Amino acid sequence: MPRSRAKSPSPSSTLQRDAEMLNAAVSDLVRIYQFRDRDKICCYDISVTQCYALEALVEQGPCRSQTLAETLRLDKSTTTRVVDALVRKGYVKRSPDPVDARAVSLQVTASGRALYDRINAELIAQQVDLLRDLEPDVRAGATEILRRLAKAAQARFMSGVSVGSCAVVCGANADQGKSSS
């Protein structure tokens, strides 16, 4: 009696299944990290968004508010509120822009840098604990995959690709706003 051959999944169904599993894994990871970040960072009397702004200023150096807003993917008014809070707390200062005296440059203060270094060191220590039991090649592979996924997601975001029907709805809302003004 001939054996029936099991059908192998088509490449498109395999890709779909892999995408579903990746989506679930990334969602779990992001959710856990969001809570971790909130719990760890907020104990320093700054919000996660303020910490991201501090990190951006540490990594890219002094910049204008518009550049920071683009880096954080926030609108200008939200960025201003984030920066105002960091200035009040003494972690960021505003200075005249060296290129355009009418503009303002944002930069991290010494206490802001010290806070960033302390938070970053604690977060890295947590990563050490997570990676401790993994082989070096697995650690390197995981990091490379996350970098590639982040780069691909960034490229899609920057090209204006949105999620699902939101692009249609958001586009329609934007068109309505233009025609009514």
Side-chain angles (χ1 to χ4, degrees):
M1 184 168 180
R3 288 180 144 191
S4 62
R5 289 171 39 194
K7 271 186 152 180
S8 60
S10 71
S12 64
S13 68
T14 302
L15 178 60
Q16 177 69 29
R17 188 179 64 244
D18 290 347
E20 290 168 0
M21 291 187 325
L22 176 64
N23 184 63
V26 169
S27 292
D28 289 345
L29 183 66
V30 167
R31 191 175 307 107
I32 290 165
Y33 272 71
Q34 284 175 333
F35 288 126
R36 176 208 69 168
D37 288 352
R38 184 200 63 205
D39 293 345
K40 181 59 70 179
I41 293 165
C42 293
C43 71
Y44 288 102
D45 192 36
I46 64 172
S47 70
V48 173
T49 304
Q50 291 166 1
C51 189
Y52 289 153
L54 199 58
E55 177 181 50
L57 290 170
V58 165
E59 290 180 358
Q60 69 189 31
C63 68
R64 293 182 184 175
S65 185
Q66 182 62 40
T67 302
L68 182 60
E70 290 167 5
T71 299
L72 298 174
R73 294 177 191 89
L74 296 173
D75 62 45
K76 196 167 182 331
S77 65
T78 302
T79 302
T80 298
R81 286 192 301 276
V82 168
V83 170
D84 286 347
L86 291 170
V87 168
R88 270 192 316 276
K89 294 173 184 183
Y91 300 132
V92 170
K93 68 178 179 177
R94 292 182 171 101
S95 306
D97 188 82
V99 177
D100 181 353
R102 298 168 300 170
V104 174
S105 180
L106 305 170
Q107 60 189 82
V108 176
T109 64
S111 62
R113 178 60 195 230
L115 175 63
Y116 169 78
D117 289 343
R118 191 167 50 246
I119 292 170
N120 199 43
E122 286 186 23
L123 295 175
I124 289 171
Q126 288 181 1
Q127 302 301 359
V128 167
D129 289 341
L130 289 174
L131 296 173
R132 183 174 323 260
D133 296 331
L134 300 176
E135 298 296 321
D137 59 334
V138 172
R139 294 191 305 252
T143 300
E144 178 62 20
I145 287 169
L146 289 173
R147 280 193 183 123
R148 284 184 179 188
L149 289 171
K151 186 176 180 179
Q154 170 77 5
R156 288 179 60 84
F157 180 82
M158 296 306 288
S159 70
V161 174
S162 187
V163 176
S165 62
C166 180
V168 174
V169 172
C170 292
N173 289 342
D175 291 341
Q176 286 174 353
K178 288 178 189 171
S179 63
S180 64
S181 33

Short mmCIF file of all heavy atoms in Angstrom, two decimals, residues 1-5:
data_model
loop_
_atom_site.label_atom_id
_atom_site.label_comp_id
_atom_site.label_asym_id
_atom_site.label_seq_id
_atom_site.Cartn_x
_atom_site.Cartn_y
_atom_site.Cartn_z
N MET A 1 0.84 -1.17 0.00
CA MET A 1 0.00 0.00 0.00
C MET A 1 0.89 1.25 0.00
O MET A 1 1.75 1.39 0.86
CB MET A 1 -0.88 -0.06 1.25
CG MET A 1 -1.86 1.03 1.35
SD MET A 1 -2.98 0.56 2.69
CE MET A 1 -4.01 1.92 2.61
N PRO A 2 0.70 2.17 -0.96
CA PRO A 2 1.56 3.35 -1.03
C PRO A 2 1.25 4.32 0.11
O PRO A 2 0.11 4.49 0.51
CB PRO A 2 1.24 3.97 -2.38
CG PRO A 2 -0.02 3.33 -2.86
CD PRO A 2 -0.24 2.09 -2.07
N ARG A 3 2.31 4.91 0.60
CA ARG A 3 2.17 5.91 1.66
C ARG A 3 1.76 7.24 1.05
O ARG A 3 2.23 7.62 0.01
CB ARG A 3 3.49 6.14 2.37
CG ARG A 3 3.90 5.02 3.23
CD ARG A 3 5.20 5.39 3.86
NE ARG A 3 5.25 4.88 5.20
CZ ARG A 3 6.16 5.20 6.07
NH1 ARG A 3 7.07 6.05 5.77
NH2 ARG A 3 6.14 4.68 7.26
N SER A 4 0.87 7.91 1.75
CA SER A 4 0.51 9.24 1.27
C SER A 4 1.59 10.21 1.74
O SER A 4 2.04 10.14 2.88
CB SER A 4 -0.86 9.66 1.79
OG SER A 4 -0.82 9.73 3.19
N ARG A 5 2.00 11.03 0.83
CA ARG A 5 3.06 11.99 1.17
C ARG A 5 2.42 13.22 1.82
O ARG A 5 1.45 13.75 1.32
CB ARG A 5 3.82 12.37 -0.07
CG ARG A 5 4.65 11.19 -0.53
CD ARG A 5 5.31 11.32 -1.86
NE ARG A 5 5.84 12.63 -2.20
CZ ARG A 5 6.19 12.94 -3.43
NH1 ARG A 5 6.06 12.08 -4.41
NH2 ARG A 5 6.68 14.14 -3.71
#
